[in-house]
Amino acid sequence: MGVVNLTPDSFSDGGRFLGEAEALAHARALVDEGADILDIGAESSRPGAAPVPANVQCARLLPLLDALSGTAVPISVDTRDVEVMRAALDAGASMINDIGALSAPGALACVAAGEAAVCLMHMRGDPLTMQQAPAYRDVVSEVAGFLQSRVDAARSAGIASDRIVVDPGLGFGKTLAHNVALLGAGDRLRAECGAPVLVGASRKSMLGELTGRPVGDRLAASVAAAIAAVAHGAAVVRVHDVAATRDALRVWQAVHGMAGG
Ligand code: HH2
């Protein structure tokens, strides 16, 4: 899954793809690099970020969705706002990626009304407050339990199981130790939630903590994190650097296949 951020303030690429032409060129480049899904977002969810009004998100998203209609890969829209979900689905989005796991009033019904897929992500609190001393008794159990309850809620609302993926939400109300534990917990999350697992570690501060490198210099760490996620059961990795991640996954998969894994 290749990331397209239509934001002025995303933590790694804020402001680079705000213009319609830049965004479209970037989206097409990610498809050429081998992205299987594009994830388009118009609201940063970095720690401390404030919500972006629905009309502003729509003004950023809808022209790109229109320009991308007919693209060979499915388009996911990253939003927790029901009004934006509805507009994105009407404009042809194939997936809603919700860092709030469809917890906003009306979100379950909005997605259930169509055929689109959904990513249900775990977050502790909200982006404004989530990194204020996050604590868990057992982070993997608690995240698995939460995701399982959201999968149950989605199914009860009428969203079929084969439309649902789950995501432990690396960096969303977690310390480095929590993030590392969750990066290696894909197999368990998949088994306990009964849904494929999506993992987004690309360029995140956990990688800065592990390597000492600034956000613009985390390519190697991001690729390693993607391989680690897939090796531990992730079905989808959400990344900014599609070409490098694809190359690394091809090599890993060849060896993994030879080894009979
Ligand atoms: N991470 C970010 C945003 N959306 N969605 C899912 N499902 N999983 C993630 O890990 C995830 C996500 C943060 O990354 P980015 O979009 O690059 O930054 P920003 O939120 O600052 O726009």
Side-chain angles (χ1 to χ4, degrees):
M1 171 183 265
V3 180
V4 182
N5 281 325
L6 309 177
T7 55
D9 57 346
S10 284
F11 78 95
S12 79
D13 55 4
R16 282 192 55 201
F17 308 114
L18 252 186
E20 228 173 291
E22 288 85 354
L24 184 59
H26 183 56
R28 287 189 172 141
L30 294 184
V31 175
D32 289 345
E33 288 178 27
D36 294 316
I37 309 169
L38 289 179
D39 187 42
I40 303 176
E43 174 181 66
S44 173
S45 50
R46 74 186 191 290
V52 175
N55 65 323
V56 176
Q57 289 188 54
C58 286
R60 293 176 184 166
L61 288 165
L62 296 180
L64 184 62
L65 279 172
D66 187 43
L68 287 172
S69 70
T71 301
V73 304
I75 311 290
S76 159
V77 170
D78 183 346
T79 188
R80 46 193 169 136
D81 193 306
V82 179
E83 207 180 313
V84 180
M85 289 177 194
R86 198 167 291 123
L89 293 172
D90 287 348
S94 301
M95 180 171 185
I96 297 296
N97 171 25
D98 184 3
I99 64 168
L102 299 185
S103 56
L108 285 165
C110 173
V111 174
E115 299 294 320
V118 64
C119 176
L120 303 170
M121 198 197 80
H122 176 273
M123 170 168 56
R124 174 64 61 84
D126 63 43
L128 265 180
T129 59
M130 64 192 179
Q131 287 307 106
Q132 292 168 7
Y136 300 81
R137 272 177 298 101
D138 173 344
V139 69
V140 176
S141 297
E142 287 174 57
V143 168
F146 169 83
L147 291 174
Q148 208 174 359
S149 73
R150 295 313 296 160
V151 169
D152 289 346
R155 286 186 187 139
S156 302
I159 303 173
S161 299
D162 63 2
R163 294 166 58 194
I164 301 172
V165 302
V166 295
D167 180 343
L170 303 185
F172 288 85
K174 282 119 192 163
T175 64
L176 175 60
H178 299 143
N179 288 320
V180 171
L182 290 166
L183 183 56
D187 286 316
R188 184 169 157 199
L189 294 174
R190 192 199 152 93
E192 293 192 16
C193 300
V197 173
L198 185 156
V199 169
S202 183
R203 300 182 182 172
K204 284 188 177 169
S205 65
M206 64 177 287
L207 305 178
E209 288 180 69
L210 287 169
T211 62
R213 296 198 180 273
V215 68
D217 200 10
R218 295 180 188 157
L219 175 59
S222 298
V223 170
I227 299 289
V230 173
H232 287 90
V236 183
V237 281
R238 181 181 182 278
V239 305
H240 302 85
D241 301 289
V242 170
T245 309
R246 270 219 84 116
D247 284 358
L249 279 172
R250 282 207 175 105
V251 174
W252 178 81
Q253 273 162 342
V255 178
H256 187 60
M258 286 289 283

